PDB file of all heavy atoms in Angstrom:
ATOM      1  N   GLU A   1     105.793 123.550  24.975  1.00 65.00           N
ATOM      2  CA  GLU A   1     105.866 123.681  23.528  1.00 65.00           C
ATOM      3  C   GLU A   1     107.270 123.384  23.003  1.00 65.00           C
ATOM      4  O   GLU A   1     107.441 122.889  21.884  1.00 65.00           O
ATOM      5  CB  GLU A   1     105.466 125.102  23.111  1.00 65.00           C
ATOM      6  CG  GLU A   1     103.981 125.363  23.257  1.00 65.00           C
ATOM      7  CD  GLU A   1     103.629 126.788  22.869  1.00 65.00           C
ATOM      8  OE1 GLU A   1     104.568 127.555  22.521  1.00 65.00           O
ATOM      9  OE2 GLU A   1     102.438 127.158  22.935  1.00 65.00           O
ATOM     10  N   ASN A   2     108.293 123.711  23.799  1.00 62.00           N
ATOM     11  CA  ASN A   2     109.671 123.563  23.314  1.00 62.00           C
ATOM     12  C   ASN A   2     110.432 122.439  24.010  1.00 62.00           C
ATOM     13  O   ASN A   2     111.669 122.409  23.985  1.00 62.00           O
ATOM     14  CB  ASN A   2     110.426 124.878  23.518  1.00 62.00           C
ATOM     15  CG  ASN A   2     109.817 126.022  22.745  1.00 62.00           C
ATOM     16  OD1 ASN A   2     109.944 126.102  21.528  1.00 62.00           O
ATOM     17  ND2 ASN A   2     109.121 126.914  23.457  1.00 62.00           N
ATOM     18  N   ILE A   3     109.722 121.579  24.661  1.00 59.00           N
ATOM     19  CA  ILE A   3     110.386 120.511  25.399  1.00 59.00           C
ATOM     20  C   ILE A   3     111.164 119.562  24.477  1.00 59.00           C
ATOM     21  O   ILE A   3     112.167 118.970  24.858  1.00 59.00           O
ATOM     22  CB  ILE A   3     109.362 119.735  26.255  1.00 59.00           C
ATOM     23  CG1 ILE A   3     110.117 118.840  27.242  1.00 59.00           C
ATOM     24  CG2 ILE A   3     108.396 118.936  25.390  1.00 59.00           C
ATOM     25  CD1 ILE A   3     109.179 118.201  28.269  1.00 59.00           C
ATOM     26  N   ASP A   4     110.691 119.426  23.253  1.00 59.00           N
ATOM     27  CA  ASP A   4     111.349 118.513  22.319  1.00 59.00           C
ATOM     28  C   ASP A   4     112.484 119.185  21.529  1.00 59.00           C
ATOM     29  O   ASP A   4     113.166 118.540  20.754  1.00 59.00           O
ATOM     30  CB  ASP A   4     110.326 117.939  21.332  1.00 59.00           C
ATOM     31  CG  ASP A   4     109.633 119.036  20.546  1.00 59.00           C
ATOM     32  OD1 ASP A   4     109.630 120.207  21.053  1.00 59.00           O
ATOM     33  OD2 ASP A   4     109.088 118.773  19.484  1.00 59.00           O
ATOM     34  N   LYS A   5     112.666 120.498  21.689  1.00 60.00           N
ATOM     35  CA  LYS A   5     113.663 121.234  20.925  1.00 60.00           C
ATOM     36  C   LYS A   5     114.936 121.517  21.716  1.00 60.00           C
ATOM     37  O   LYS A   5     115.904 122.001  21.147  1.00 60.00           O
ATOM     38  CB  LYS A   5     113.065 122.568  20.437  1.00 60.00           C
ATOM     39  CG  LYS A   5     111.881 122.391  19.521  1.00 60.00           C
ATOM     40  CD  LYS A   5     111.330 123.747  19.121  1.00 60.00           C
ATOM     41  CE  LYS A   5     110.101 123.587  18.224  1.00 60.00           C
ATOM     42  NZ  LYS A   5     109.525 124.886  17.840  1.00 60.00           N
ATOM     43  N   SER A   6     114.915 121.354  23.041  1.00 61.00           N
ATOM     44  CA  SER A   6     116.088 121.662  23.867  1.00 61.00           C
ATOM     45  C   SER A   6     116.453 120.460  24.694  1.00 61.00           C
ATOM     46  O   SER A   6     115.636 119.555  24.926  1.00 61.00           O
ATOM     47  CB  SER A   6     115.790 122.854  24.791  1.00 61.00           C
ATOM     48  OG  SER A   6     115.463 123.984  24.036  1.00 61.00           O
ATOM     49  N   SER A   7     117.689 120.543  25.200  1.00 70.00           N
ATOM     50  CA  SER A   7     118.141 119.463  26.070  1.00 70.00           C
ATOM     51  C   SER A   7     117.520 119.607  27.446  1.00 70.00           C
ATOM     52  O   SER A   7     117.039 120.659  27.824  1.00 70.00           O
ATOM     53  CB  SER A   7     119.671 119.498  26.162  1.00 70.00           C
ATOM     54  OG  SER A   7     120.093 120.667  26.856  1.00 70.00           O
ATOM     55  N   ILE A   8     117.538 118.508  28.187  1.00 72.00           N
ATOM     56  CA  ILE A   8     116.961 118.511  29.524  1.00 72.00           C
ATOM     57  C   ILE A   8     117.695 119.446  30.465  1.00 72.00           C
ATOM     58  O   ILE A   8     117.107 120.055  31.367  1.00 72.00           O
ATOM     59  CB  ILE A   8     116.946 117.074  30.092  1.00 72.00           C
ATOM     60  CG1 ILE A   8     116.134 117.038  31.389  1.00 72.00           C
ATOM     61  CG2 ILE A   8     118.367 116.557  30.305  1.00 72.00           C
ATOM     62  CD1 ILE A   8     115.919 115.616  31.893  1.00 72.00           C
ATOM     63  N   TYR A   9     119.024 119.646  30.222  1.00 72.00           N
ATOM     64  CA  TYR A   9     119.790 120.550  31.075  1.00 72.00           C
ATOM     65  C   TYR A   9     119.331 122.003  30.909  1.00 72.00           C
ATOM     66  O   TYR A   9     119.167 122.727  31.884  1.00 72.00           O
ATOM     67  CB  TYR A   9     121.291 120.438  30.735  1.00 72.00           C
ATOM     68  CG  TYR A   9     121.856 119.060  30.923  1.00 72.00           C
ATOM     69  CD1 TYR A   9     122.194 118.260  29.822  1.00 72.00           C
ATOM     70  CD2 TYR A   9     122.054 118.569  32.213  1.00 72.00           C
ATOM     71  CE1 TYR A   9     122.704 116.996  29.990  1.00 72.00           C
ATOM     72  CE2 TYR A   9     122.576 117.288  32.373  1.00 72.00           C
ATOM     73  CZ  TYR A   9     122.896 116.516  31.276  1.00 72.00           C
ATOM     74  OH  TYR A   9     123.405 115.279  31.468  1.00 72.00           O
ATOM     75  N   ARG A  10     119.156 122.402  29.650  1.00 74.00           N
ATOM     76  CA  ARG A  10     118.753 123.792  29.385  1.00 74.00           C
ATOM     77  C   ARG A  10     117.354 124.063  29.915  1.00 74.00           C
ATOM     78  O   ARG A  10     117.101 125.119  30.517  1.00 74.00           O
ATOM     79  CB  ARG A  10     118.834 124.050  27.887  1.00 74.00           C
ATOM     80  CG  ARG A  10     118.568 125.490  27.518  1.00 74.00           C
ATOM     81  CD  ARG A  10     118.750 125.704  26.039  1.00 74.00           C
ATOM     82  NE  ARG A  10     120.144 125.430  25.650  1.00 74.00           N
ATOM     83  CZ  ARG A  10     120.576 125.435  24.407  1.00 74.00           C
ATOM     84  NH1 ARG A  10     119.721 125.660  23.404  1.00 74.00           N
ATOM     85  NH2 ARG A  10     121.839 125.205  24.136  1.00 74.00           N
ATOM     86  N   ILE A  11     116.435 123.101  29.662  1.00 73.00           N
ATOM     87  CA  ILE A  11     115.052 123.320  30.140  1.00 73.00           C
ATOM     88  C   ILE A  11     115.017 123.389  31.655  1.00 73.00           C
ATOM     89  O   ILE A  11     114.365 124.255  32.253  1.00 73.00           O
ATOM     90  CB  ILE A  11     114.144 122.193  29.620  1.00 73.00           C
ATOM     91  CG1 ILE A  11     114.027 122.274  28.088  1.00 73.00           C
ATOM     92  CG2 ILE A  11     112.775 122.265  30.265  1.00 73.00           C
ATOM     93  CD1 ILE A  11     113.291 121.109  27.459  1.00 73.00           C
ATOM     94  N   THR A  12     115.769 122.493  32.303  1.00 77.00           N
ATOM     95  CA  THR A  12     115.767 122.474  33.778  1.00 77.00           C
ATOM     96  C   THR A  12     116.403 123.752  34.329  1.00 77.00           C
ATOM     97  O   THR A  12     115.908 124.345  35.295  1.00 77.00           O
ATOM     98  CB  THR A  12     116.528 121.242  34.295  1.00 77.00           C
ATOM     99  OG1 THR A  12     115.961 120.068  33.714  1.00 77.00           O
ATOM    100  CG2 THR A  12     116.451 121.164  35.801  1.00 77.00           C
ATOM    101  N   LEU A  13     117.509 124.197  33.711  1.00 77.00           N
ATOM    102  CA  LEU A  13     118.191 125.406  34.169  1.00 77.00           C
ATOM    103  C   LEU A  13     117.286 126.635  34.040  1.00 77.00           C
ATOM    104  O   LEU A  13     117.158 127.445  34.973  1.00 77.00           O
ATOM    105  CB  LEU A  13     119.487 125.605  33.367  1.00 77.00           C
ATOM    106  CG  LEU A  13     120.301 126.864  33.731  1.00 77.00           C
ATOM    107  CD1 LEU A  13     120.770 126.792  35.172  1.00 77.00           C
ATOM    108  CD2 LEU A  13     121.491 127.007  32.777  1.00 77.00           C
ATOM    109  N   ILE A  14     116.626 126.766  32.888  1.00 78.00           N
ATOM    110  CA  ILE A  14     115.721 127.909  32.678  1.00 78.00           C
ATOM    111  C   ILE A  14     114.543 127.845  33.644  1.00 78.00           C
ATOM    112  O   ILE A  14     114.087 128.865  34.167  1.00 78.00           O
ATOM    113  CB  ILE A  14     115.249 127.931  31.214  1.00 78.00           C
ATOM    114  CG1 ILE A  14     116.430 128.235  30.293  1.00 78.00           C
ATOM    115  CG2 ILE A  14     114.152 128.976  31.020  1.00 78.00           C
ATOM    116  CD1 ILE A  14     116.109 128.118  28.816  1.00 78.00           C
ATOM    117  N   THR A  15     114.087 126.631  33.899  1.00 78.00           N
ATOM    118  CA  THR A  15     112.960 126.484  34.834  1.00 78.00           C
ATOM    119  C   THR A  15     113.341 126.987  36.222  1.00 78.00           C
ATOM    120  O   THR A  15     112.582 127.731  36.871  1.00 78.00           O
ATOM    121  CB  THR A  15     112.530 125.008  34.916  1.00 78.00           C
ATOM    122  OG1 THR A  15     112.149 124.566  33.606  1.00 78.00           O
ATOM    123  CG2 THR A  15     111.382 124.842  35.883  1.00 78.00           C
ATOM    124  N   PHE A  16     114.508 126.582  36.689  1.00 79.00           N
ATOM    125  CA  PHE A  16     114.953 127.039  38.021  1.00 79.00           C
ATOM    126  C   PHE A  16     115.163 128.558  38.066  1.00 79.00           C
ATOM    127  O   PHE A  16     114.787 129.226  39.043  1.00 79.00           O
ATOM    128  CB  PHE A  16     116.250 126.321  38.422  1.00 79.00           C
ATOM    129  CG  PHE A  16     116.032 124.951  38.977  1.00 79.00           C
ATOM    130  CD1 PHE A  16     116.613 123.823  38.379  1.00 79.00           C
ATOM    131  CD2 PHE A  16     115.252 124.759  40.124  1.00 79.00           C
ATOM    132  CE1 PHE A  16     116.411 122.563  38.901  1.00 79.00           C
ATOM    133  CE2 PHE A  16     115.056 123.488  40.619  1.00 79.00           C
ATOM    134  CZ  PHE A  16     115.622 122.375  40.032  1.00 79.00           C
ATOM    135  N   ILE A  17     115.754 129.091  37.007  1.00 82.00           N
ATOM    136  CA  ILE A  17     116.012 130.548  36.980  1.00 82.00           C
ATOM    137  C   ILE A  17     114.699 131.335  36.991  1.00 82.00           C
ATOM    138  O   ILE A  17     114.505 132.296  37.761  1.00 82.00           O
ATOM    139  CB  ILE A  17     116.866 130.914  35.757  1.00 82.00           C
ATOM    140  CG1 ILE A  17     118.268 130.331  35.909  1.00 82.00           C
ATOM    141  CG2 ILE A  17     116.945 132.437  35.590  1.00 82.00           C
ATOM    142  CD1 ILE A  17     119.152 130.500  34.669  1.00 82.00           C
ATOM    143  N   ILE A  18     113.773 130.930  36.089  1.00 80.00           N
ATOM    144  CA  ILE A  18     112.483 131.643  36.044  1.00 80.00           C
ATOM    145  C   ILE A  18     111.732 131.464  37.346  1.00 80.00           C
ATOM    146  O   ILE A  18     111.100 132.401  37.873  1.00 80.00           O
ATOM    147  CB  ILE A  18     111.659 131.156  34.841  1.00 80.00           C
ATOM    148  CG1 ILE A  18     112.354 131.543  33.528  1.00 80.00           C
ATOM    149  CG2 ILE A  18     110.260 131.738  34.888  1.00 80.00           C
ATOM    150  CD1 ILE A  18     111.672 131.005  32.292  1.00 80.00           C
ATOM    151  N   GLY A  19     111.758 130.266  37.939  1.00 79.00           N
ATOM    152  CA  GLY A  19     111.105 130.046  39.229  1.00 79.00           C
ATOM    153  C   GLY A  19     111.684 130.928  40.312  1.00 79.00           C
ATOM    154  O   GLY A  19     110.953 131.504  41.134  1.00 79.00           O
ATOM    155  N   LEU A  20     113.049 131.072  40.309  1.00 81.00           N
ATOM    156  CA  LEU A  20     113.702 131.949  41.300  1.00 81.00           C
ATOM    157  C   LEU A  20     113.268 133.404  41.125  1.00 81.00           C
ATOM    158  O   LEU A  20     112.946 134.099  42.096  1.00 81.00           O
ATOM    159  CB  LEU A  20     115.222 131.821  41.159  1.00 81.00           C
ATOM    160  CG  LEU A  20     116.068 132.701  42.091  1.00 81.00           C
ATOM    161  CD1 LEU A  20     115.829 132.312  43.537  1.00 81.00           C
ATOM    162  CD2 LEU A  20     117.553 132.585  41.752  1.00 81.00           C
ATOM    163  N   VAL A  21     113.244 133.843  39.836  1.00 81.00           N
ATOM    164  CA  VAL A  21     112.844 135.233  39.567  1.00 81.00           C
ATOM    165  C   VAL A  21     111.393 135.481  39.987  1.00 81.00           C
ATOM    166  O   VAL A  21     111.084 136.468  40.666  1.00 81.00           O
ATOM    167  CB  VAL A  21     113.059 135.564  38.084  1.00 81.00           C
ATOM    168  CG1 VAL A  21     112.453 136.919  37.743  1.00 81.00           C
ATOM    169  CG2 VAL A  21     114.546 135.528  37.735  1.00 81.00           C
ATOM    170  N   PHE A  22     110.490 134.597  39.600  1.00 80.00           N
ATOM    171  CA  PHE A  22     109.066 134.793  39.940  1.00 80.00           C
ATOM    172  C   PHE A  22     108.842 134.719  41.444  1.00 80.00           C
ATOM    173  O   PHE A  22     108.071 135.515  42.017  1.00 80.00           O
ATOM    174  CB  PHE A  22     108.207 133.752  39.212  1.00 80.00           C
ATOM    175  CG  PHE A  22     107.781 134.184  37.852  1.00 80.00           C
ATOM    176  CD1 PHE A  22     108.430 133.727  36.708  1.00 80.00           C
ATOM    177  CD2 PHE A  22     106.721 135.059  37.692  1.00 80.00           C
ATOM    178  CE1 PHE A  22     108.043 134.139  35.459  1.00 80.00           C
ATOM    179  CE2 PHE A  22     106.339 135.465  36.431  1.00 80.00           C
ATOM    180  CZ  PHE A  22     106.991 135.007  35.298  1.00 80.00           C
ATOM    181  N   PHE A  23     109.503 133.790  42.087  1.00 79.00           N
ATOM    182  CA  PHE A  23     109.319 133.677  43.533  1.00 79.00           C
ATOM    183  C   PHE A  23     109.801 134.934  44.252  1.00 79.00           C
ATOM    184  O   PHE A  23     109.114 135.448  45.149  1.00 79.00           O
ATOM    185  CB  PHE A  23     110.064 132.434  44.052  1.00 79.00           C
ATOM    186  CG  PHE A  23     109.934 132.260  45.538  1.00 79.00           C
ATOM    187  CD1 PHE A  23     108.779 131.704  46.093  1.00 79.00           C
ATOM    188  CD2 PHE A  23     110.955 132.669  46.401  1.00 79.00           C
ATOM    189  CE1 PHE A  23     108.658 131.562  47.475  1.00 79.00           C
ATOM    190  CE2 PHE A  23     110.831 132.521  47.772  1.00 79.00           C
ATOM    191  CZ  PHE A  23     109.681 131.967  48.318  1.00 79.00           C
ATOM    192  N   ASP A  24     110.966 135.430  43.843  1.00 80.00           N
ATOM    193  CA  ASP A  24     111.487 136.634  44.486  1.00 80.00           C
ATOM    194  C   ASP A  24     110.617 137.853  44.192  1.00 80.00           C
ATOM    195  O   ASP A  24     110.403 138.710  45.064  1.00 80.00           O
ATOM    196  CB  ASP A  24     112.924 136.896  44.028  1.00 80.00           C
ATOM    197  CG  ASP A  24     113.911 135.901  44.629  1.00 80.00           C
ATOM    198  OD1 ASP A  24     113.506 135.189  45.574  1.00 80.00           O
ATOM    199  OD2 ASP A  24     115.070 135.844  44.167  1.00 80.00           O
ATOM    200  N   LEU A  25     110.108 137.960  42.967  1.00 78.00           N
ATOM    201  CA  LEU A  25     109.218 139.090  42.641  1.00 78.00           C
ATOM    202  C   LEU A  25     107.950 139.052  43.481  1.00 78.00           C
ATOM    203  O   LEU A  25     107.504 140.076  44.025  1.00 78.00           O
ATOM    204  CB  LEU A  25     108.876 139.070  41.138  1.00 78.00           C
ATOM    205  CG  LEU A  25     109.985 139.501  40.183  1.00 78.00           C
ATOM    206  CD1 LEU A  25     109.525 139.310  38.731  1.00 78.00           C
ATOM    207  CD2 LEU A  25     110.364 140.951  40.430  1.00 78.00           C
ATOM    208  N   ILE A  26     107.343 137.868  43.566  1.00 79.00           N
ATOM    209  CA  ILE A  26     106.118 137.741  44.370  1.00 79.00           C
ATOM    210  C   ILE A  26     106.414 138.018  45.843  1.00 79.00           C
ATOM    211  O   ILE A  26     105.641 138.684  46.549  1.00 79.00           O
ATOM    212  CB  ILE A  26     105.493 136.348  44.170  1.00 79.00           C
ATOM    213  CG1 ILE A  26     105.014 136.192  42.716  1.00 79.00           C
ATOM    214  CG2 ILE A  26     104.338 136.131  45.137  1.00 79.00           C
ATOM    215  CD1 ILE A  26     104.545 134.789  42.369  1.00 79.00           C
TER     216      ILE A  26
END
């Protein structure tokens, strides 16, 4: 939904952070 509102760096950084958090929680 917000891919067109942020830069590719921010989206990629948030993706990695959330992926790290979810993976560690699971």
Side-chain angles (χ1 to χ4, degrees):
E1 288 179 358
N2 298 286
I3 192 171
D4 59 338
K5 298 178 182 179
S6 300
S7 68
I8 189 172
Y9 300 108
R10 186 176 297 175
I11 294 173
T12 305
L13 179 63
I14 293 173
T15 301
F16 279 121
I17 292 173
I18 294 175
L20 178 64
V21 171
F22 272 101
F23 179 80
D24 288 347
L25 286 175
I26 295 172

